Amino acid sequence: FIQALKTHSVTDVVRMCEPTYSKEYFEQAGISVHEMTFADGGTPPDDVLEAWRQLIVRRYKARTPADAGVVAVHCAAGLGRAPVMAAIALIEIGALDAISAIEKIREKLRGAINMRQFTFLQSYKRTVKSGKGNCAVM
């Protein structure tokens, strides 16, 4: 798994679920692991949203080359928490509207984002003000 992340130049892994693996292996490979957990099927609390925004801005709108990076995000089943955070990144960095971000994610992952999360994303307000960044769904 680490080799696949390295192939895509991933610098950060964000874990949205309870830990099921040791982050030491990732850190030894030069990949930082961030814990940003919230309830399965739920929406992210403000502290998780703020930590997520800070990370994606630091990596995708880097002020220096040393700050640039690629962020991977995952949760247990991969249908709710991680797709919600990916949608937020697409809204913030990719400058997409919520519906376009959800459609882009669902093209790759059918069944992603439940109704509660969909409603949350529809009401989500973009906070990053300047220019379009480089954010993709893989």
Side-chain angles (χ1 to χ4, degrees):
F1 183 64
I2 291 173
Q3 189 54 47
L5 294 172
K6 295 299 266 180
T7 299
H8 292 287
S9 304
V10 170
T11 55
D12 300 83
V13 168
V14 178
R15 183 164 43 194
M16 296 284 159
C17 55
E18 296 70 32
T20 57
Y21 56 85
S22 172
K23 60 184 185 178
E24 291 171 4
Y25 297 110
F26 291 85
E27 290 170 346
Q28 289 171 0
I31 300 172
S32 297
V33 177
H34 307 268
E35 308 289 345
M36 297 186 197
T37 59
F38 62 96
D40 189 18
T43 59
D46 291 342
D47 63 323
V48 169
L49 278 173
E50 185 56 30
W52 176 248
R53 282 191 295 255
Q54 287 178 14
L55 178 61
I56 62 173
V57 166
R58 184 171 74 238
R59 295 301 187 215
Y60 294 107
K61 293 189 162 292
R63 293 176 189 245
T64 68
D67 284 338
V70 176
V71 178
V73 59
H74 79 88
C75 58
L79 294 174
R81 292 171 282 193
V84 165
M85 301 313 276
I88 291 168
L90 289 168
I91 293 166
E92 292 284 5
I93 305 301
L96 295 180
D97 62 76
I99 299 300
S100 297
I102 293 165
E103 286 174 350
K104 188 173 213 50
I105 290 165
R106 286 181 172 172
E107 285 173 10
K108 302 279 185 183
L109 190 59
R110 295 184 83 186
I113 303 173
N114 66 30
M115 196 61 197
R116 179 177 178 201
Q117 294 162 335
F118 184 94
T119 302
F120 167 80
L121 289 168
Q122 280 187 304
S123 65
Y124 182 81
K125 302 289 186 233
R126 184 171 183 235
T127 63
V128 176
K129 302 297 182 207
S130 62
K132 190 174 178 180
N134 209 4
C135 187
V137 176
M138 298 165 87

